[in-house]
């Protein structure tokens, strides 16, 4: 059973009384599990007593390898043959071995919370019968997620729907297979709950360092065929309504100004003049840079005499035609700028996947060396669990809280520094905890400007997808400095009101209304 979650967009439709004091929250959908069907799908566990609850028995066995599984508010599907585990007598089942995981290896990332669960597994090609011919040097990471809450977004652009094999379609009625945002995804519903199995891949020929999606599909089918109900707990209560809209501080900042969401630098869009005018603040987060001032601005490149130059944050006019004062600085949205990456929420289906953030020690200027590397601290935006295998050059911070489920991706921090700091899968962090420093790593040090690439991903019917984090960062920064910023008047924004409140209150409300209407049209 699905219900439409609490909508902060109602603010737009019911008046402007509070629109200047809170930010619009996301739209969500909630799901309720059919636990009877989950129990019926369980295979009998050896030596199980008839009086035992099969879910509890399965969860107690799986908990030896997947701690916390009994806290899941949804049935947990894993490639774990719980019915094959050797038991000498009731309650004395042996610790699970790799043979019970169909060749997959469980990683340290297994997160359970009020909105479901995420788990990742790896598979080495040389260890998998029938797959050893795939010339890929790294272990393949497979993720499975179960959700009782999804975010209601417009249909993504650029998704490539593909046919499903007869065997998989029979086992998982209604299952969908697609490639979206460089990820192979199988999405299906079981026991009233949506699940997604995903593998990052490259839609092209197989390479040693890039997994072809056609080979990723062979691995995904093997994974799907191994899935079994491994636990879950119908007694766990879950809050699926999103938290209340984020409030804004009362004081106004004299220095912090920002261009409207979706307004890109002229000519920097990816086959589109503007970005995504999504005013949603997806969560009340801690700003990921440890100190202020920080700059959210473009790091798009142009060439001049062989030197890579980035547009400088403080060199822009503020919308009135005049240069800003030295004490002031300006933010600009750069989600969906010209980049050749798939992003389903971008107008063209491709573009920049997140927002670029410059730290406090950066002196805004035209050269990439004006911002020193490995000096400004990065902190956890929310409490959550790290998702990162040691060989990866980026990491996710995954949060699973009442009414919230999202992933924050961090890029351009040096992999060796991340390894040394213990930023690896399974580590639990608290909000505001240091996670490293802003750097310039892109396959090797010094290959990009010094900045933090920050992404926000939320779960949908298609699995985790990227959304525009710009307004979420604006709201977080206002809380960091204890004052609200001023939206710059200009294209898409109106002048400040007579009381000196932030500019474009009415414009922002109109923008929310337009965005909500566009969502409605796209879902029809």
């Amino acid at each position: 059973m699905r219900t439409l979650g609490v909508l902060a967009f109602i603010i737009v439709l019911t008046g402007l009384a509070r629109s200047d004091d809170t930010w619009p929250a996301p739209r969500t959908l909630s799901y309720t599990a059919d636990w009877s069907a989950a129990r019926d799908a369980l295979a009998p566990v050896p030596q199980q007593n008839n009086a035992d609850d099969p879910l509890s028995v399965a969860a107690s066995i799986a908990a030896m390898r997947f701690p916390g599984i009994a806290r899941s508010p949804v049935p947990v599907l894993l490639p774990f043959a719980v019915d094959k585990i050797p038991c000498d007598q009731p309650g004395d089942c042996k610790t699970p071995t790799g043979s019970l995981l169909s060749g997959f290896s469980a990683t340290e990332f297994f997160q359970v919370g009020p909105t479901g669960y995420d788990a990742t597994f790896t598979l080495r090609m040389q260890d998998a019968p029938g797959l050893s011919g795939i010339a890929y040097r790294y272990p393949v990471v497979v993720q499975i997620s179960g959700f009782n809450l999804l975010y209601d977004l417009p249909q993504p652009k650029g998704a490539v729907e593909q046919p499903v094999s007869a065997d998989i379609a029979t086992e998982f009625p209604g299952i969908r297979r697609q490639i979206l945002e460089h990820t192979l995804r199988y999405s299906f519903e079981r026991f009233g709950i949506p699940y997604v199995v995903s593998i990052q891949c490259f839609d092209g020929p197989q390479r040693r360092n890039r997994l072809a999606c056609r080979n990723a599909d062979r691995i995904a089918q093997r994974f799907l065929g191994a899935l079994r109900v491994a636990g879950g707990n119908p007694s766990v209560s879950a809050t699926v309504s999103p938290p209340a809209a984020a409030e804004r501080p009362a004081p106004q900042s004299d220095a912090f100004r920002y261009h409207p969401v979706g307004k890109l630098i002229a000519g920097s869009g990816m086959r589109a003049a503007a970005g995504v005018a999504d005013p949603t603040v997806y969560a009340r987060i801690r700003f990921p840079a440890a100190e202020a001032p920080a700059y959210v601005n473009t790091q798009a490149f142009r060439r001049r005499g062989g030197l890579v130059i980035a547009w400088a944050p403080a060199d822009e006019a503020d919308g009135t035609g005049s240069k800003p004062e030295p004490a002031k600085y300006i933010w600009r949205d750069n989600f969906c700028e010209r980049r050749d990456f798939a992003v389903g929420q971008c107008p063209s289906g491709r573009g920049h996947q997140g927002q670029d953030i410059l730290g406090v020690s950066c002196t805004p200027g035209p050269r990439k060396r004006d911002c020193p590397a490995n000096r400004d601290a990065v902190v956890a935006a929310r409490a959550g669990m790290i998702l990162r295998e040691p060989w990866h050059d980026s990491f996710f911070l995954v949060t699973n809280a009442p009414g919230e489920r999202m992933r924050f991706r961090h890029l351009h921090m040096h992999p060796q520094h991340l390894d040394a700091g213990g930023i690896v899968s399974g580590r639990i962090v608290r909000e505001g905890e240091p996670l490293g420093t802003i750097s310039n790593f892109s396959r090797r040090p010094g290959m990009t400007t010094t900045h933090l690439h920050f992404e926000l991903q939320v779960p949908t019917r298609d699995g985790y997808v990227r959304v525009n984090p710009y307004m979420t960062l604006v709201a977080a920064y206002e809380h960091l400095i204890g004052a609200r910023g001023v939206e710059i008047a200009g294209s898409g924004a109106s002048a400040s009101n007579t009381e000196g409140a932030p500019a474009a209150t009415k414009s922002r409300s109109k923008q929310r209304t337009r965005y909500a209407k566009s969502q409605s049209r796209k879902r029809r």
Side-chain angles (χ1 to χ4, degrees), residues 56 65 69 78 84 142 153 184 220 274 302 342 360 405 409 434 517:
S56 298
R65 186 61 188 86
I69 192 171
L78 297 174
K84 303 298 183 184
V142 187
L153 299 177
L184 172 71
R302 63 181 185 270
V360 65
R405 182 81 163 270
R409 185 182 180 223
K517 288 181 178 178

Side-chain angles (χ1 to χ4, degrees), residues 3 53 75 84 134 199 235-236 286 335 372 381 388 497:
T3 56
D53 179 358
K84 303 298 183 184
I134 299 176
I199 304 175
S235 299
V236 174
R286 202 289 187 190
F335 185 69
R388 174 186 174 265
N497 60 33

Side-chain angles (χ1 to χ4, degrees), residues 370-420:
D370 291 340
C371 300
N374 303 311
R375 184 174 298 181
D376 299 322
V378 174
V379 298
R382 289 295 302 274
M385 183 179 286
I386 298 295
L387 172 57
R388 174 186 174 265
E389 297 307 309
W391 60 87
H392 285 186
D393 60 358
S394 66
F395 70 88
F396 289 99
L397 172 58
V398 187
T399 183
N400 186 334
E404 291 184 347
R405 182 81 163 270
M406 57 196 65
R407 307 194 306 195
F408 306 101
R409 185 182 180 223
H410 304 68
L411 184 60
H412 302 313
M413 299 164 71
H414 199 295
Q416 292 181 355
H417 296 176
L418 294 175
D419 290 345

Side-chain angles (χ1 to χ4, degrees), residues 330-372:
I330 294 173
W331 281 21
R332 184 183 285 276
D333 188 357
N334 53 91
F335 185 69
C336 296
E337 274 186 336
R338 188 181 294 114
R339 310 282 198 283
D340 197 20
F341 298 110
V343 188
Q345 294 300 308
C346 287
S348 67
R350 304 190 77 81
H352 189 219
Q353 299 170 312
Q355 295 289 344
D356 291 335
I357 302 173
L358 287 73
V360 65
S361 65
C362 178
T363 302
R367 299 175 184 272
K368 65 177 183 176
R369 300 187 189 281
D370 291 340
C371 300

Side-chain angles (χ1 to χ4, degrees), residues 61-65 80 85-87 92-100:
I61 297 172
M64 292 186 284
R65 186 61 188 86
F80 176 36
I85 191 167
C87 299
D92 187 31
C93 294
K94 300 292 191 301
T95 301
T97 63
S99 63
L100 301 174

